[in-house]
Amino acid sequence: MTIDLEAETAAEAVIDRKRRTLTIRKYVPVLGTLVLLCIMYGIGIANYENFYNTQILLNIFIDNAFLLVVAIGMTFVILTGGIDLSVGSVVALTTMVSAVTLNHGWPAPLVMITVLVMGSVLGFGMGCMIHYFELQPFIVTLAGMFLARGLCYVISTSSIPIDDPTWITLSQKRIPIGSFSITPSVIIAAIIVVIAAVVLAWTRLGRTVYAIGGNQQSATLMGLPVARVKIAVYTISGFCSAAGGLLLSFYMSSGDPLHAVGMELDAIAAVVIGGTILTGGSGYVVGTVLGIIVLGLIQTIITFQGTLSSWWTKIFIGALLFLFVLLQRTVVRRTPS
Amino acid sequence: MEQSRPILVMRGVGKRFPGVVALRDVDFRLFPGEVHALMGENGAGKSTLIKVLTGVYSIDDGSVEMAGEPVLFGGPAQAQQAGVSTVYQEINLCTNLSVAENIYIGREPRRLGLIDFRRMRADAGDLLRSLGIRVDPGSPLAAHSIAVQQMVAIARAVDISAQVLILDEPTSSLDAGEVEQLFRVVRQLKEKGLAIVFVTHFLDQVYAIADRITVLRNGSLVGEFRTADLPQRDLVEKMIGQELSTLESLDQQKPALREVEAGRPLIEADDLGRSGAIAPFNLTIHEGEVVGLAGLLGSGRSELARLLFGADRSDSGHLKVDGKNVSLRGPRTAMGQNIAYLSENRRADGLVEELSVRENIILALQASRGWTRPVPRKKQDELVGRYVKALHIRPSDPEIPVRNLSGGNQQKVLLARWLITEPRLLILDEPTRGIDIGAKAEIQKLVVELADGGMAVLFISAELEEVLRLSHKIAVLRDRVVVAQLANTEDVDADRIMTTIATGVTA
Amino acid sequence: MSAVLKHRLFWPVAALLVLLLSNLIFTPGFFNIEVRQSHLYGSLVDILRLSAPLLLVALGMTLVIATGGIDLSVGSVMAVSGALACLYIVHQPDQGAPGTIIVACLLGIAIALVLGLWNGFLVSVIGLQPIIATLILMVAGRGLAQLITEGQIITVNSPGYRFLSAGYWLTFPFAVILAAVVVALTVVLTRRTALGMLVESVGGNPRASRLAGVSSRTLIWGVYVFTGLCAGIAGLMATANVSSADGNNTGYLIELNAILAVVIGGTSLAGGRFSIAGTVVGALLIQTLDTTIYTTGIPAQTTQLFKAIVVIAICLIQSPAFRAKLRRRPAAPVAPAPAAPSKAEVSL
């Protein structure tokens, strides 16, 4: 079955060109993040002594490992076109529960499993409400945010120090890489990043996440398990929040109801700056990692600058959010529907 | 064509919704290796029949048999597993994924638990080639035209189950070349022995591809015909049917014979058009004149109306109002020229359902005055009261939410909304569809009165009787082109209009 | 009686009354109101006074939500407006001079209006999703506020400024009078003009509104500006209450409380019909809850727990899917009429 090949070839050339630009366009947001990152890194190296030191980059990961893990969970949610405002509170709740149970003498592995299950269950519950009662993710996770933060204060209104040996080891241990070093938390975050990337790119769950974000109605009509995957996504976000909470409790060696206040905003910002489109269906885990580095670089540059105060961080993040949302909008608009 | 045993038989199918009988005792047979067109005007029951078949709706009466076995599907997924796949008008694929993924998502080939993309692309390539579709399976679906996306959807459906394929208005947004591309694929599937149901309202396409035609009207079966035995003109007649109701209240005389002296030209469209929606057309509407638009669903009736109201921007030609060129930038500018548009889709484009009857009636007048100049409450009550009475809107309490009214009364509310803006041109897009006979007669009578009072009316309806009864002039649309404009004289009748719709040539 | 039960404000008002009554258990003289030096005192008066900023923010939020939008940046706008006003005051030789205070207030309100214009621009002209558009300012606004205060807490020593929150006028707390005046003005503005109806129509069915000639772009833009204004005044009040501006904490989490108040008051998050009376009840309910928790000695922060329960309960009551499941009826199928386009769909 061949059909007027000549005409087809000419038409195909046009389509090919169009297709190539579209394939590239898919990566525009992430590439934008990468370019931004290089520029920022260049500015840092050009202006500040010692900025080239690789340890500076590694420190970004050390200081933001928990945020990275939380942002990975957020990436899943945003890819389906949802949002999870509860992450910061779940992180705080995790640190509180860890601190209290450890102080009651629970063994460290049991504590870790307990909080991870707790985070997942919270996420699962929110996912069920969003899917089965057709409530807006925004409002359900807002309730989850209130709930988890309120539970923190039910446990204790003040900070609880953690002196469990496992926690102390995990918090103080440095793993050398050449002449530099990282913490176990970075390794854990890296493992989660790799797993998340593989799940999103090469499993049915991951591809269904993209399908739902692309067009939930189509996904349903194509017979995909939309309900299961949507609930799974919030469960994953809950799990990641709990994991991030554990990393934060290593980092801070304490449980505090005031931990991670506003972290949901940082996580959303990292995901968006990392090129994931807020309406869902397009974005990559690697983008989120880049987004975290960008946030970290902003802080680092501001620290190196010395004269710039910390609040510029927020202004810069806001400006970047604006830029990237605009960039996404132009990209989405040009895509034929 | 193999006529031995039907693959699918639906017998005596009935489906009721609260207050509506959507299907009544419908039979449908489908043979392997045939393309079977399912035809009917809006509300005829085509999509309900498809949805009953695929299990989207439960079945109230009758039975469905596949290959001799009685079946009852719980939903599209179940139907698909049993060999019945549907490709919808709206592409139900995910354009953010690749072509290959769209074909295989949910059943991807896997290796070691992970998706084997290489094999998936190879399989997709083979499948697409076997159907004569030349597309790179690795490319994102968004990079391709709607036609190609449609074919990818077909490839997916065929690959999942290869017995019955339902194409639900697949060609609505395709141009002629793309339709031909699609038909090549369809013909190939037919040769492979698939049974294909083709839902459409494009006559030419039916004759180009279908072997048989089943016509539905108002939820009932009109008949099953061999395409070769059914001339286009007869098909149109069977789809549109004859208006059986008697509307005694209405003057049965044709308006042109009522010797109404048409006034000055009010609206002159000069090569006005919008690519992809309606081909450039010329149309003049005089004061006191009723111009009817006749044509099948999807022939460009609403698109024409939307251009005249500025709801869509034209990309060619000019529009003159009172002999002066105007450029309609949106509904507001059109309203400034005293043009009003009663849209076809009451719920999506007309009503604000949670607002009251009074608020819905006052909305357009208020919008044109701006928020700072509210219509005084007393004036509102007076205006609303007058129209509730004049149009017999029931219940007559203007403070109840408009969603509590019946379809006919909702339509009258929208009519009232536009009448109180005192328009000079009133565009009515299917004003009588889906409403009861009494309300219908009232609306028709009103149109005559308004025109007698000097208002110009553009009246769009799928029912030819109605158009013939009301219009001084009739513009006939076919496949998004105005093919004829006839003065509604003695010798113009439904027969002639149907022939024009069917052939595109004035008889 | 059944008419009373069916009124959409029945449950919020009932909850408010129950909550107020339950205070009697902990505070016997809870309902006592006395006049000292021609000033009104009492727990109820305190609740009214403290609820003023929330009420103002919720008022603006009501209109934004009625158009089908949302404004997350109100807390940040409060912080910016309060910070700017306080910054101006501390740099004046006479911090208490009426002129100083008037200029400070005007400055605060002006910057809030600018920020509202920005939000409205992003939503109505650029066409961003309201959540995203206002998220930008929610993040950046905090930074802006801290930039103004240079990361410090600006403490003002100005009885005149404090008057905004704690002062009395005609025996009533000035903050209550101010809030009442703004509420009254809003009611007049929305219900005496056609604004309210047009806003409801845009939120109820944007497509139909456009075809009826409603200029939704201007309306939506205006609504965000109005919310900015309300947040600006609230920011002045909140900073006046503590005589200091803290870029980090002024108006912290108020956007969520405001959304909660609006939702409690019966305005649907999907847009459409709004109820200012409902929002007033909602805001009072939230403030009473805070006050009650405070007086019972439960850690104040646990109010969030109760709020979570309230949010979930109200959303479930509003959810058609939930009601359908309660009635144990299968969700589909509905009549085959063409469905109205989902209002939640706003393209990015």
Side-chain angles (χ1 to χ4, degrees):
Chain A
M1 170 101 196
T2 41
I3 4 168
D4 40 340
L5 266 174
E6 276 171 45
E8 292 263 322
T9 330
E12 221 163 67
V14 176
I15 290 173
D16 257 14
R17 222 172 305 134
K18 193 176 145 200
R19 175 171 62 71
R20 234 172 282 131
T21 54
L22 246 147
T23 315
I24 296 169
R25 188 173 293 146
K26 210 167 73 163
Y27 300 110
V28 163
V30 180
L31 289 176
T33 316
L34 195 62
V35 169
L36 177 78
L37 200 135
C38 293
I39 292 173
M40 284 172 63
Y41 197 62
I43 290 175
I45 288 181
N47 288 316
Y48 315 112
E49 238 180 293
N50 284 333
F51 201 90
Y52 66 90
N53 191 332
T54 311
Q55 189 63 46
I56 298 290
L57 263 183
L58 293 178
N59 282 346
I60 288 178
F61 284 107
I62 293 174
D63 295 336
N64 291 294
F66 51 90
L67 181 59
L68 177 55
V69 172
V70 171
I72 293 299
M74 186 71 83
T75 310
F76 276 82
V77 174
I78 292 184
L79 275 176
T80 62
I83 202 151
D84 188 351
L85 295 181
S86 71
V87 290
S89 301
V90 175
V91 165
L93 183 60
T94 307
T95 67
M96 291 299 288
V97 172
S98 304
V100 167
T101 49
L102 286 171
N103 289 351
H104 274 77
W106 290 30
L110 180 63
V111 170
M112 292 184 189
I113 292 170
T114 307
V115 292
L116 289 177
V117 168
M118 177 196 74
S120 308
V121 167
L122 276 173
F124 177 80
M126 290 187 285
C128 287
M129 293 194 54
I130 291 165
H131 185 81
Y132 288 114
F133 300 136
E134 290 160 34
L135 300 177
Q136 293 180 11
F138 173 80
I139 205 81
V140 172
T141 56
L142 172 64
M145 171 184 177
F146 279 141
L147 185 80
R149 193 66 75 177
L151 284 174
C152 287
Y153 288 107
V154 171
I155 294 171
S156 165
T157 50
S158 56
S159 180
I160 306 171
I162 297 175
D163 47 15
D164 179 84
T166 317
W167 252 252
I168 290 172
T169 317
L170 282 167
S171 129
Q172 291 171 350
K173 179 137 177 81
R174 289 290 179 274
I175 299 160
I177 304 179
S179 52
F180 313 110
S181 68
I182 52 172
T183 55
S185 294
V186 177
I187 309 269
I188 295 172
I191 292 172
I192 292 181
V193 165
V194 170
I195 294 176
V198 169
V199 166
L200 277 179
W202 281 291
T203 65
R204 285 191 184 166
L205 171 71
R207 301 321 291 172
T208 309
V209 166
Y210 282 94
I212 293 175
N215 189 336
Q216 183 175 331
Q217 201 198 345
S218 295
T220 312
L221 282 169
M222 286 201 276
L224 301 180
V226 172
R228 228 165 55 213
V229 171
K230 263 179 90 179
I231 293 168
V233 155
Y234 289 93
T235 312
I236 289 170
S237 179
F239 174 87
C240 285
S241 303
L246 280 176
L247 298 191
L248 186 67
S249 66
F250 302 154
Y251 187 78
M252 298 288 209
S253 291
S254 68
D256 192 325
L258 282 172
H259 273 335
V261 165
M263 189 189 268
E264 56 281 347
L265 290 186
D266 288 336
I268 294 170
V271 173
V272 173
I273 291 174
T276 299
I277 290 180
L278 267 161
T279 42
S282 171
Y284 305 92
V285 168
V286 66
T288 302
V289 176
L290 294 180
I292 292 284
I293 303 178
V294 167
L295 295 191
L297 269 179
I298 294 176
Q299 286 163 349
T300 312
I301 289 177
I302 283 171
T303 316
F304 267 79
Q305 174 70 24
T307 57
L308 276 179
S309 315
S310 62
W311 45 87
W312 281 102
T313 320
K314 285 177 183 156
I315 298 178
F316 279 133
I317 294 177
L320 286 181
L321 265 179
F322 176 59
L323 270 180
F324 275 82
V325 170
L326 272 193
L327 178 70
Q328 291 178 1
R329 189 162 171 72
T330 43
V331 170
V332 171
R333 233 190 211 161
R334 284 202 207 120
T335 312
S337 53
Chain B
M1 199 196 332
E2 192 184 299
Q3 279 282 13
S4 54
R5 267 183 61 182
I7 173 84
L8 181 81
V9 179
M10 299 178 81
R11 264 195 215 100
V13 171
K15 177 71 198 169
R16 289 177 296 273
F17 293 108
V20 201
V21 179
L23 287 178
R24 198 181 298 112
D25 194 23
V26 172
D27 296 334
F28 183 72
R29 298 183 305 158
L30 186 67
F31 291 90
E34 76 164 345
V35 176
H36 193 139
L38 189 56
M39 309 270 316
E41 278 291 90
N42 211 325
K46 293 170 301 191
S47 45
T48 311
L49 188 68
I50 298 295
K51 283 178 176 158
V52 166
L53 171 59
T54 54
V56 176
Y57 295 152
S58 60
I59 187 166
D60 288 345
D61 300 311
S63 64
V64 183
E65 274 175 27
M66 248 190 95
E69 300 284 315
V71 287
L72 203 63
F73 301 127
Q78 222 180 336
Q80 199 163 61
Q81 268 167 6
V84 181
S85 285
T86 314
V87 173
Y88 300 91
Q89 168 186 10
E90 309 288 333
I91 307 281
N92 276 293
L93 296 175
C94 296
T95 52
N96 58 329
L97 303 179
S98 73
V99 170
E101 274 197 272
N102 269 294
I103 296 176
Y104 288 107
I105 192 162
R107 44 195 198 97
E108 300 95 336
R110 285 188 288 192
R111 225 175 56 185
L112 304 171
L114 298 181
I115 295 170
D116 186 349
F117 279 102
R118 184 176 298 183
R119 212 184 106 204
M120 187 166 90
R121 274 197 294 271
D123 289 355
D126 291 344
L127 173 67
L128 291 168
R129 251 192 311 281
S130 78
L131 294 172
I133 306 167
R134 303 187 42 161
V135 173
D136 174 4
S139 57
L141 189 68
H144 301 290
S145 65
I146 300 286
V148 171
Q149 295 185 17
Q150 199 72 260
M151 286 186 254
V152 170
I154 292 174
R156 175 184 169 87
V158 168
D159 192 56
I160 290 175
S161 61
Q163 288 191 59
V164 174
L165 179 64
I166 301 166
L167 302 175
D168 191 356
E169 301 197 21
T171 55
S172 299
S173 43
L174 305 188
D175 64 34
E178 290 172 329
V179 168
E180 192 40 48
Q181 249 181 313
L182 184 75
F183 280 4
R184 280 203 299 253
V185 174
V186 171
R187 285 194 195 100
Q188 240 200 322
L189 293 173
K190 182 178 135 180
E191 275 163 33
K192 287 186 176 172
L194 250 74
I196 296 160
V197 181
F198 184 47
V199 184
T200 187
H201 44 252
F202 291 104
L203 296 176
D204 286 348
Q205 293 178 7
V206 170
Y207 284 88
I209 192 106
D211 303 302
R212 263 168 339 139
I213 303 172
T214 289
V215 181
L216 299 179
R217 192 171 66 229
N218 293 329
S220 301
L221 178 72
V222 176
E224 186 197 280
F225 312 93
R226 293 175 60 88
T227 312
D229 303 341
L230 186 71
Q232 290 210 13
R233 205 217 138 281
D234 292 2
L235 174 58
V236 172
E237 187 183 314
K238 290 193 189 311
M239 285 167 65
I240 295 176
Q242 300 292 324
E243 177 71 5
L244 297 172
S245 65
T246 46
L247 301 162
E248 298 96 8
S249 57
L250 204 70
D251 186 352
Q252 287 292 333
Q253 247 190 341
K254 287 198 168 194
L257 307 178
R258 289 201 313 260
E259 295 284 321
V260 173
E261 191 64 36
R264 298 177 294 133
L266 178 66
I267 300 281
E268 292 159 89
D270 184 10
D271 275 336
L272 199 68
R274 178 180 163 88
S275 57
I278 177 108
F281 62 91
N282 295 304
L283 183 68
T284 306
I285 307 174
H286 297 84
E287 286 177 343
E289 184 181 40
V290 180
V291 175
L293 279 193
L296 296 177
L297 182 76
S299 58
R301 301 178 312 212
S302 300
E303 287 78 0
L304 191 155
R306 287 176 66 90
L307 280 194
L308 292 184
F309 187 59
D312 295 324
R313 300 283 290 269
S314 58
D315 54 14
S316 71
H318 317 276
L319 184 70
K320 280 188 194 159
V321 179
D322 278 335
K324 281 192 236 40
N325 265 323
V326 292
S327 137
L328 298 181
R329 288 187 308 278
R332 281 179 72 80
T333 41
M335 285 162 67
Q337 300 291 338
N338 294 308
I339 301 174
Y341 173 53
L342 182 72
S343 53
E344 180 186 16
N345 191 336
R346 272 198 302 272
R347 282 184 64 206
D349 292 335
L351 298 167
V352 184
E353 289 194 321
E354 53 187 325
L355 295 192
S356 68
V357 170
R358 172 178 56 82
E359 288 167 313
N360 269 286
I361 290 179
I362 217 80
L363 185 62
L365 179 65
Q366 185 59 65
S368 63
R369 290 167 64 113
W371 66 270
T372 48
R373 290 170 51 230
V375 182
R377 185 55 194 262
K378 221 182 197 167
K379 173 108 175 158
Q380 285 189 29
D381 288 339
E382 185 213 313
L383 279 171
V384 170
R386 192 196 307 161
Y387 279 97
V388 164
K389 211 168 143 206
L391 299 178
H392 307 290
I393 294 176
R394 292 282 172 277
S396 57
D397 176 7
E399 297 307 320
I400 62 170
V402 78
R403 72 155 74 89
N404 294 358
L405 269 59
S406 70
N409 282 299
Q410 288 179 340
Q411 190 69 292
K412 290 190 221 162
V413 166
L414 292 178
L415 202 52
R417 171 191 290 177
W418 291 112
L419 291 180
I420 64 169
T421 64
E422 296 174 357
R424 297 174 63 200
L425 170 65
L426 177 63
I427 305 172
L428 300 174
D429 195 350
E430 291 278 11
T432 59
R433 182 204 293 163
I435 65 178
D436 60 89
I437 271 303
K440 202 168 188 168
E442 286 180 57
I443 287 175
Q444 293 180 359
K445 203 168 148 197
L446 184 75
V447 168
V448 173
E449 286 168 10
L450 291 171
D452 287 347
M455 194 184 289
V457 179
L458 184 66
F459 189 87
I460 305 177
S461 174
E463 292 178 27
L464 288 183
E465 288 295 324
E466 193 175 57
V467 174
L468 280 164
R469 190 176 305 127
L470 298 176
S471 315
H472 298 97
K473 182 166 80 189
I474 299 171
V476 181
L477 283 150
R478 181 180 198 274
D479 290 356
R480 298 176 192 255
V481 180
V482 178
V483 288
Q485 295 191 33
L486 313 164
N488 192 5
T489 48
E490 191 77 76
D491 57 332
V492 171
D493 56 12
D495 201 60
R496 256 185 84 179
I497 307 257
M498 279 192 242
T499 312
T500 314
I501 292 175
T503 60
V505 183
T506 319
Chain C
M1 188 61 202
S2 71
V4 176
L5 270 172
K6 270 190 189 147
H7 194 277
R8 58 205 162 100
L9 283 185
F10 173 77
W11 289 108
V13 170
L16 179 61
L17 290 180
V18 168
L19 203 56
L20 286 171
L21 284 172
S22 66
N23 270 285
L24 273 180
I25 305 168
F26 307 102
T27 326
F30 187 76
F31 285 97
N32 293 0
I33 292 175
E34 47 183 320
V35 180
R36 264 181 267 153
Q37 298 155 354
S38 77
H39 289 176
L40 227 44
Y41 283 99
S43 305
L44 291 179
V45 181
D46 276 342
I47 288 177
L48 277 179
R49 189 173 70 82
L50 291 173
S51 66
L54 174 62
L55 181 55
L56 285 174
V57 172
L59 201 58
M61 191 71 83
T62 308
L63 293 188
V64 168
I65 288 180
T67 62
I70 204 151
D71 188 348
L72 297 181
S73 72
V74 283
S76 299
V77 173
M78 275 177 73
V80 172
S81 129
L84 193 65
C86 289
L87 181 74
Y88 178 79
I89 292 175
V90 288
H91 282 96
Q92 301 309 308
D94 179 6
Q95 293 194 11
T100 305
I101 290 156
I102 290 171
V103 172
C105 291
L106 288 179
L107 274 177
I109 288 172
I111 187 87
L113 286 174
V114 170
L115 296 178
L117 272 171
W118 165 257
N119 278 333
F121 174 75
L122 292 188
V123 174
S124 67
V125 180
I126 309 252
L128 295 184
Q129 257 177 303
I131 288 188
I132 309 310
T134 55
L135 179 72
I136 292 168
L137 196 55
M138 181 186 187
V139 176
R142 286 278 162 210
L144 200 60
Q146 283 171 287
L147 178 71
I148 293 171
T149 63
E150 295 188 335
Q152 310 291 312
I153 294 176
I154 301 183
T155 309
V156 294
N157 181 16
S158 165
Y161 189 61
R162 178 139 169 72
F163 181 83
L164 273 180
S165 167
Y168 277 84
W169 193 49
L170 304 174
T171 74
F172 281 98
F174 181 70
V176 175
I177 296 176
L178 186 57
V181 167
V182 178
V183 169
L185 281 179
T186 313
V187 171
V188 169
L189 192 69
T190 53
R191 297 303 181 196
R192 291 286 144 189
T193 72
L195 193 63
M197 187 188 99
L198 294 179
V199 162
E200 287 173 341
S201 132
V202 166
N205 189 343
R207 275 175 63 177
S209 302
R210 173 173 176 265
L211 285 177
V214 180
S215 43
S216 27
R217 177 178 288 191
T218 325
L219 271 181
I220 290 175
W221 200 340
V223 159
Y224 281 91
V225 174
F226 177 74
T227 308
L229 172 71
C230 287
I233 301 175
L236 298 178
M237 253 184 211
T239 48
N241 191 37
V242 288
S243 284
S244 64
D246 177 351
N248 249 337
N249 284 322
T250 307
Y252 175 67
L253 278 188
I254 200 163
E255 59 281 344
L256 302 182
N257 282 323
I259 294 168
L260 187 54
V262 173
V263 173
I264 291 175
T267 302
S268 159
L269 274 174
R273 279 270 190 240
F274 66 88
S275 160
I276 290 176
T279 298
V280 172
V281 173
L284 288 177
L285 183 59
I286 290 172
Q287 187 56 48
T288 311
L289 186 65
D290 281 342
T291 308
T292 309
I293 299 272
Y294 184 74
T295 49
T296 52
I298 304 172
Q301 297 87 341
T302 42
T303 38
Q304 299 193 5
L305 208 59
F306 295 96
K307 285 178 194 165
I309 294 165
V310 173
V311 174
I312 293 169
I314 286 178
C315 284
L316 284 182
I317 291 170
Q318 282 189 1
S319 152
F322 179 72
R323 283 191 230 165
K325 281 186 176 111
L326 267 192
R327 275 188 245 113
R328 285 161 195 271
R329 275 172 46 186
V334 210
S342 163
K343 281 179 285 186
E345 272 175 36
V346 185
S347 67
L348 186 72

